Amino acid sequence: MSIPKTYLPKEIEDKWYNYWLDHAFFRSIPDEREPYTIVIPPPNVTGVLHMGHMLNNTIQDVLIRRARMKGKNSCWVPGTDHASIATEAKVVAMLKDRGINKKDLTRPEFMTYAWEWKEKYGGIILEQLKKLGASCDWDRTRFTMEDDLSEAVIDTFIHLYNKGLIYRGIRMVNWDPQGKTAVSDEEVIRKEVNQKLYYIRYKVSGSEYQVASSESNQSNDLIPDTQYLTIATTRPETIMADAAICINPNDARYFHLHGKKVLIPLINREIPVILDEYVTMDFGTGCLKVTPAHDLNDYELGQKHNLPVIDILNDDGTLNENAKILIGEDRFAARKKIAVLLEADGYLEKVEDYTSQIGFSERTDAVIEPKLSMQWFCKMDEMAKPALDYVLKGEIKLIPDKFINTYRNWMENIKDWCISRQLWWGQQIPAWYLPDGRFVIAKTREDAFEQAKNLKSQISSLKSEDLKQDEDVLDTWFSSWLWPISVFDGFKDPNNADIDYYYPTNDLITAPEILFFWVARMIMAGHEFRGQAPFRNVYLTGIVRDKLGRKMSKSLGNSPDPLELIEKYGADGVRVGMLLCSPAGNDLMFDESYCEQGRNFANKIWNAFRLVKGWDVDATLPNDNEVAIDWFRSRFNQALIEIEENFGQYRLSEALMTTYKLVWDDFCAWYLEMIKPAYQKPIDSETYDATIRFFEDVLRILHPFMPFISEELWHDELFGERAEYNCCIVAQIPTSGEINTQLLSEVEIIKQLISQVRNIRNSKQISPKEALTLSVKANSAISYKAYEQVIKKLANISSVDFVVEKLQGATNFMVSTDEFYIPLTENIDPVAEISRLKKDKDYLLGFLKSVNAKLTNERFMSNAKPEIIEVELRKKDDAEAKLKIIEEGLSALAE
RNA sequence: GGGAGUUUAGCUCAGCUGGUUCAGAGCAUCUGCCUUACAAGCAGAGGGUCACUGGUUCGAACCCAGUAACUCCCA
């Protein structure tokens, strides 16, 4: 036989992927069929395929392929996200390599470089997805910054502004000093960090003239120091921005400070001591430095107490002239230096170790600086309500549903969305400023000019060139929240055939970490612009972790290269590997051995094919495999129902496992072994034909999981001539037929019987080649005669006798209540036999006791459901029957 | 600090409305096999105080309360 012994996926995968592409099997255009639509969560253009993508896209492809094979018009829309911060960072880095500084470029020049970069390096990830077998409709590939989609973003901004949902305001934002942009709360990663807590003394202003005893406070000994108060801070470099010291009005230790002022060390600026119950008395010293410009809570406290805001930091995190000292130093360098200065002047009381949560930028990993700045915001509460309702009413299902609570919690406490970013790569905010500072919102300069002219008390000499467009761009999510609509041009042309047909989409497959960034906002946009949710089900995948439970990341180096995995195990093997370890919504502990298991499975299928391929047919032979054929048909139909149910509940790994066991155990290990002709003997045509049909059906159910090997085998001449478009990818998933449950349960008994015989061989070291004889004493209603062929073949039995008496001197075993005997030339050890039977007897007696205890318990008899009692009675009968047989065996041995 | 979740075999997970023979699967492990499809394989075996403590019930992995450990989200 010239077919290789192991399955070699490499050239097969390329061959079939190209074939599918050439024959436009991924292409979807609206027709009379029911649509099944998924829009891809657009990966960043800067992205390279990582394990998270592998999981996510494998799941999408399985669902898409299965829907296609169920006769639906499957449409999987691919595309990429322009990812402003990440991409701009890459472009800036590229320019730096070429010796170009972004600062020296004009905005249009920079954008030219950026597009150049995008064309060259962007979207590699989509090419990589093809290796996985992703059956996306590539003709529909979109990019969130292409013209139509950008236009949709701008129109959306204008629409929401006119509705009063977008406003401009000074807010404390999360400032990324490295990316020099504001980032949203969701883009801030909090990490536990070891820090220092500095205890710093502030001199009480004019304290040298005060005499402690002149205070009404009697307990002078409680006053730690009348000259100083001490505060604790992790950020000593911000003391120059202090606006006040705050104490709790109930704090007895500090009554003497009420109404006083203190001096900031080193710069000697006077600030008041204010009172607020906000301060926790038992944290630090009970004195809190209030720094409105550099801390969110302090800012709010400052607003309440009308404190000035003194910003001492530049955009890049260095100190500015407001700081008076250490101007130009980076905030972290300044922290160290100021500690030294404070120490030198005796202001530093002590330093303690301290751990706390600090925010880091998701994109640049820089420590986030709270910063006051003028930003654009989108009001959320009005839009959040309907978006929450979709999920609570079940119009959108979250899978698994444990995320509903999380979703609700977030939506009910939602804050306004900061949508401006201080970058160039992205959609520039369509706000146009007049020389007097007022602004208008318009799509073009011309529109803006028209509007500006109509503003009240506008000087008549205003020229179009006087308008200055806002420098900022919009947050990337402000374009991706439109994705399910914009990919079908639902903004440009709201009633076009595509959007009417494909929207709302069916399933969204994404990671729980972007449930709020993206999923929630898409629901808002779907409601706002289409009056309909953008999808019906949201399948939330887990996070791919390594074996030790650590998140896979570049910096840890614990993430395998997906393309290398595909190279090593084949795309089908990797797909199976991903799914095997991924129950819905749970994180998955990925390990390469899962891919190995997938590869082995592909190999198993390959070899089953080699077996069948090697058979010769003799049409004159009778069919003596009817039982096997009927059994497998029933078993297959039964498995189909299970698989269908698993898919219905989005239990993909279980659907795969059911398929895996059906193919490996039922089809290969049992069915093929049952019908396999003896070496170099032909097979009858009826069995052969049935087997070919079964194999074809097996390929159909395998296809969504393992598209390549199933397509490859599908086209083998074994299955007859195939027309050009007769491909597994568009074959129909078989529908379940009749299930003979009696046959299924009887075959389970026969399998046990065969296992028992093999077990005896194993324990008595009898070669599988040596044929044995079997005597059957049937006490049940099963007709063993019908299974004689199967038993003979799989247990290597030369003859089966049906007896009514026990067989003496033979080794025996029981299956259900039927008895079986195998006469052995070898001697039987009566002692061992007796001890084995006694063990069984003891077990049965104990079991019977517990059953009887139930049956004689009046409360059980009166409370339990009748069918439960019936079950107990049957258990009792069964056990008693078995016990009787064992007793007989024991007394026979005793003779 | 507030909220949610998890804990079942060495590992990853099922276990539905509390009730089939004192918990199932896959992988891994052990034993024996290169048996003419497959050693990426075949046959067989072992492996569990269902986190802990109480409670409800005729009956608890499952329901309730508490404890512990871990994870995530928000502040």
Side-chain angles (χ1 to χ4, degrees):
Chain A
M1 194 181 293
S2 60
I3 309 169
K5 264 171 93 168
T6 46
Y7 170 59
L8 304 167
K10 222 176 155 183
E11 55 270 31
I12 285 170
E13 291 178 357
D14 288 342
K15 176 177 78 181
W16 288 111
Y17 199 84
N18 287 326
Y19 192 93
W20 292 328
L21 279 180
D22 292 345
H23 292 76
F25 285 123
F26 305 160
R27 184 78 181 118
S28 171
I29 11 186
D31 59 21
E32 69 293 340
R33 288 175 298 167
E34 188 189 332
Y36 176 83
T37 316
I38 296 180
V39 290
I40 205 169
N44 290 354
V45 270
T46 57
V48 281
L49 201 64
H50 61 63
M51 296 309 288
H53 296 123
M54 293 289 277
L55 172 66
N56 191 261
N57 288 290
T58 298
I59 292 169
Q60 292 178 70
D61 196 46
V62 168
L63 293 174
I64 277 286
R65 284 181 186 268
R66 190 173 151 85
R68 192 182 285 124
M69 293 177 75
K70 293 191 91 174
K72 296 192 181 156
N73 187 344
S74 267
C75 180
W76 185 8
V77 184
T80 46
D81 190 296
H82 66 277
S84 5
I85 300 181
T87 308
E88 185 148 329
K90 291 256 179 193
V91 176
V92 169
M94 175 199 78
L95 291 171
K96 204 174 167 189
D97 283 347
R98 294 199 210 164
I100 305 169
N101 195 329
K102 184 189 159 190
K103 277 186 199 152
D104 301 333
L105 296 177
T106 64
R107 188 172 190 133
E109 282 169 350
F110 177 84
M111 290 304 273
T112 309
Y113 282 117
W115 278 105
E116 197 182 284
W117 184 92
K118 188 257 167 189
E119 293 310 324
K120 197 163 171 192
Y121 302 106
I124 291 177
I125 194 162
L126 296 184
E127 291 309 308
Q128 293 178 316
L129 280 179
K130 295 178 180 175
K131 294 278 175 211
L132 185 67
S135 59
C136 303
D137 183 353
W138 299 108
D139 294 342
R140 293 182 177 274
T141 307
R142 306 306 292 258
F143 174 55
T144 54
M145 232 174 94
E146 67 183 58
D147 291 347
D148 288 346
L149 273 67
S150 286
E151 195 181 338
V153 167
I154 298 305
D155 287 344
T156 299
F157 183 96
I158 295 168
H159 168 90
L160 293 175
Y161 177 81
N162 290 336
K163 245 184 130 175
L165 293 177
I166 285 183
Y167 62 93
R168 197 163 175 253
I170 289 184
R171 282 295 168 92
M172 184 71 82
V173 294
N174 305 299
W175 184 259
D176 175 346
Q178 197 171 318
K180 289 189 199 142
T181 177
V183 295
S184 66
D185 290 343
E186 290 79 8
E187 287 164 313
V188 176
I189 315 282
R190 286 175 194 284
K191 294 186 211 166
E192 187 101 326
V193 174
N194 289 322
Q195 297 195 88
K196 301 267 183 237
L197 195 58
Y198 299 84
Y199 287 78
I200 303 170
R201 289 184 172 149
Y202 285 49
K203 200 174 190 181
V204 178
S205 188
S207 58
E208 52 270 33
Y209 310 113
Q210 298 281 335
V211 182
S213 59
S214 71
E215 297 285 322
S216 56
N217 193 333
Q218 296 297 303
S219 47
N220 283 349
D221 52 331
L222 281 180
I223 301 168
D225 194 331
T226 48
Q227 304 273 307
Y228 295 96
L229 62 81
T230 307
I231 58 98
T233 180
T234 55
R235 303 204 56 191
E237 75 278 14
T238 62
I239 60 170
M240 292 83 80
D242 285 354
I245 296 292
C246 187
I247 54 177
N248 192 304
N250 305 313
D251 195 335
R253 294 173 298 175
Y254 300 122
F255 285 154
H256 67 288
L257 293 174
H258 291 195
K260 291 278 189 306
K261 292 190 170 176
V262 296
L263 293 170
I264 297 173
L266 306 177
I267 60 168
N268 282 322
R269 182 159 53 77
E270 196 174 56
I271 52 170
V273 174
I274 59 167
L275 305 175
D276 200 298
E277 298 198 342
Y278 164 80
V279 179
T280 318
M281 288 188 274
D282 49 11
F283 180 81
T285 61
C287 296
L288 174 76
K289 78 194 252 309
V290 185
T291 319
H294 301 293
D295 183 277
L296 181 57
N297 294 316
D298 289 12
Y299 176 69
E300 279 162 11
L301 198 58
Q303 294 286 93
K304 194 170 154 190
H305 292 271
N306 256 322
L307 298 175
V309 175
I310 304 151
D311 190 338
I312 60 159
L313 288 175
N314 291 315
D315 287 352
D316 61 359
T318 57
L319 272 59
N320 64 25
E321 54 280 3
N322 290 336
K324 310 277 195 240
I325 52 171
L326 298 173
I327 295 165
E329 294 280 353
D330 180 73
R331 54 195 167 140
F332 297 112
R335 182 174 303 171
K336 287 187 185 130
K337 289 190 176 169
I338 205 156
V340 174
L341 293 174
L342 289 166
E343 173 95 80
D345 289 1
Y347 290 110
L348 191 61
E349 193 173 297
K350 59 175 173 176
V351 180
E352 284 177 354
D353 287 328
Y354 182 70
T355 56
S356 69
Q357 297 264 322
I358 288 201
F360 290 82
S361 167
E362 189 191 33
R363 313 276 174 159
T364 65
D365 207 37
V367 174
I368 290 298
E369 193 64 51
K371 186 181 165 69
L372 286 170
S373 60
M374 185 65 86
Q375 301 286 345
W376 290 92
F377 290 87
C378 183
K379 276 191 198 163
M380 284 283 104
D381 48 357
E382 199 176 300
M383 280 195 270
K385 274 192 198 83
L388 176 59
D389 283 347
Y390 281 115
V391 171
L392 292 185
K393 286 183 188 153
E395 284 171 59
I396 294 176
K397 278 208 196 86
L398 302 187
I399 300 148
D401 58 12
K402 67 176 177 185
F403 285 107
I404 294 173
N405 277 337
T406 324
Y407 181 81
R408 177 168 57 198
N409 199 28
W410 194 75
M411 294 299 261
E412 284 173 350
N413 298 298
I414 196 163
K415 289 185 291 184
D416 287 352
W417 174 16
C418 175
I419 53 173
S420 44
R421 294 291 182 273
Q422 289 65 51
L423 300 165
W424 281 347
W425 178 248
Q427 287 95 8
Q428 196 171 355
I429 291 175
W432 305 81
Y433 297 92
L434 280 65
D436 62 7
R438 288 186 290 174
F439 64 86
V440 293
I441 299 297
K443 202 164 174 176
T444 61
R445 181 174 289 273
E446 293 72 55
D447 287 355
F449 184 53
E450 286 306 309
Q451 281 189 47
K453 278 194 291 191
N454 295 331
L455 285 177
K456 265 188 206 155
S457 70
Q458 183 50 57
I459 42 162
S460 54
S461 63
L462 182 79
K463 287 189 294 260
S464 170
E465 308 90 83
D466 295 337
L467 294 174
K468 196 167 175 299
Q469 189 175 1
D470 196 299
E471 287 286 312
D472 292 354
V473 297
L474 289 158
D475 180 14
T476 300
W477 299 106
F478 199 82
S479 61
S480 30
W481 74 325
L482 310 176
W483 186 248
I485 303 172
S486 58
V487 294
F488 298 116
D489 290 324
F491 289 94
K492 195 171 122 192
D493 186 3
N495 292 309
N496 76 74
D498 276 359
I499 189 105
D500 285 348
Y501 183 71
Y502 294 114
Y503 190 94
T505 69
N506 295 73
D507 297 338
L508 177 81
I509 289 80
T510 192
E513 24 188 21
I514 53 173
L515 185 58
F516 310 125
F517 276 112
W518 191 47
V519 179
R521 287 170 186 162
M522 275 194 287
I523 298 173
M524 293 179 198
H527 180 78
E528 178 70 26
F529 299 106
R530 302 291 305 178
Q532 255 180 321
F535 28 71
R536 298 191 184 91
N537 303 294
V538 180
Y539 179 106
L540 296 149
T541 64
I543 295 166
V544 183
R545 296 173 181 280
D546 68 7
K547 238 175 146 178
L548 302 171
R550 299 174 306 181
K551 200 170 168 179
M552 285 196 169
S553 70
K554 259 189 206 158
S555 53
L556 272 174
N558 58 348
S559 176
D561 177 351
L563 294 180
E564 275 172 29
L565 284 179
I566 290 175
E567 186 82 6
K568 201 163 159 193
Y569 300 106
D572 289 337
V574 176
R575 291 165 67 108
V576 168
M578 292 308 309
L579 289 173
L580 279 176
C581 58
S582 64
N586 285 347
D587 286 0
L588 56 103
M589 310 298 158
F590 179 80
D591 186 77
E592 247 187 77
S593 64
Y594 289 108
C595 295
E596 200 180 327
Q597 194 182 347
R599 179 201 59 181
N600 294 355
F601 185 39
N603 199 46
K604 185 74 189 174
I605 298 160
W606 181 255
N607 276 290
F609 161 76
R610 284 179 68 223
L611 174 69
V612 177
K613 177 91 173 157
W615 287 342
D616 292 321
V617 183
D618 182 346
T620 63
L621 285 176
N623 171 11
D624 50 75
N625 294 311
E626 271 169 38
V627 173
I629 293 167
D630 288 347
W631 168 75
F632 186 73
R633 184 176 295 122
S634 277
R635 180 66 203 106
F636 185 82
N637 286 334
Q638 192 183 41
L640 276 182
I641 290 173
E642 284 172 39
I643 294 167
E644 184 68 40
E645 280 171 0
N646 288 331
F647 270 107
Q649 298 170 70
Y650 291 84
R651 297 175 165 206
L652 267 61
S653 36
E654 285 187 51
L656 172 59
M657 190 42 72
T658 307
T659 309
Y660 179 92
K661 286 194 277 190
L662 175 76
V663 175
W664 198 309
D665 298 341
D666 296 314
F667 186 63
C668 295
W670 290 102
Y671 175 73
L672 289 180
E673 292 297 335
M674 284 177 190
I675 62 150
K676 186 162 121 181
Y679 181 55
Q680 290 194 333
K681 291 272 165 55
I683 193 164
D684 70 275
S685 57
E686 257 182 51
T687 305
Y688 184 77
D689 291 344
T691 306
I692 297 298
R693 295 286 85 79
F694 287 153
F695 212 131
E696 217 179 72
D697 281 347
V698 162
L699 294 179
R700 289 171 205 256
I701 61 167
L702 281 171
H703 183 84
F705 303 111
M706 307 176 86
F708 293 108
I709 190 172
S710 54
E711 191 72 82
E712 169 71 11
L713 296 181
W714 182 262
H715 291 270
D716 191 87
E717 58 185 12
L718 182 68
F719 300 103
E721 279 288 305
R722 299 268 188 214
E724 192 181 355
Y725 284 87
N726 180 346
C727 289
C728 197
I729 189 177
V730 287
Q732 295 298 292
I733 292 277
T735 47
S736 186
E738 251 177 73
I739 297 170
N740 182 341
T741 48
Q742 195 198 335
L743 179 62
L744 286 172
S745 59
E746 287 190 3
V747 169
E748 284 314 300
I749 301 279
I750 300 301
K751 284 171 160 184
Q752 281 179 45
L753 191 177
I754 292 163
S755 282
Q756 289 276 23
V757 176
R758 287 170 175 171
N759 201 349
I760 285 167
R761 276 184 202 281
N762 235 331
S763 62
K764 304 210 186 295
Q765 304 200 316
I766 301 165
S767 159
K769 286 177 192 163
E770 188 183 329
L772 299 171
T773 59
L774 177 74
S775 295
V776 181
K777 179 173 179 288
N779 302 318
S780 71
I782 298 177
S783 161
Y784 285 93
K785 190 83 193 154
Y787 302 100
E788 197 178 334
Q789 288 304 321
V790 173
I791 297 166
K792 279 179 164 177
K793 196 173 205 166
L794 296 191
N796 193 14
I797 299 293
S798 54
S799 73
V800 179
D801 295 328
F802 295 89
V803 297
V804 288
E805 293 294 326
K806 287 185 189 307
L807 213 64
Q808 302 298 327
T811 186
N812 65 87
F813 59 89
M814 279 168 72
V815 176
S816 175
T817 54
D818 299 325
E819 297 163 67
F820 302 88
Y821 300 91
I822 298 175
L824 293 174
T825 46
E826 307 287 319
N827 44 337
I828 289 161
D829 179 358
V831 181
E833 281 296 290
I834 288 171
S835 98
R836 182 175 65 85
L837 288 174
K838 277 204 168 144
K839 217 172 123 194
D840 287 355
K841 184 182 158 184
D842 287 349
Y843 166 77
L844 280 169
L845 283 174
F847 174 68
L848 210 49
K849 203 172 154 192
S850 80
V851 174
N852 278 328
K854 275 192 197 172
L855 290 170
T856 53
N857 183 333
E858 265 177 48
R859 288 201 281 183
F860 173 75
M861 296 303 281
S862 54
N863 287 324
K865 279 177 260 169
E867 56 268 31
I868 300 298
I869 294 173
E870 217 171 289
V871 165
E872 291 300 317
L873 285 169
R874 203 166 61 229
K875 286 199 247 177
K876 187 187 171 189
D877 287 352
D878 252 32
E880 280 171 348
K882 279 190 185 175
L883 210 50
K884 190 168 157 257
I885 294 164
I886 289 174
E887 292 286 5
E888 286 167 8
L890 276 172
S891 58
L893 278 164
E895 279 163 20

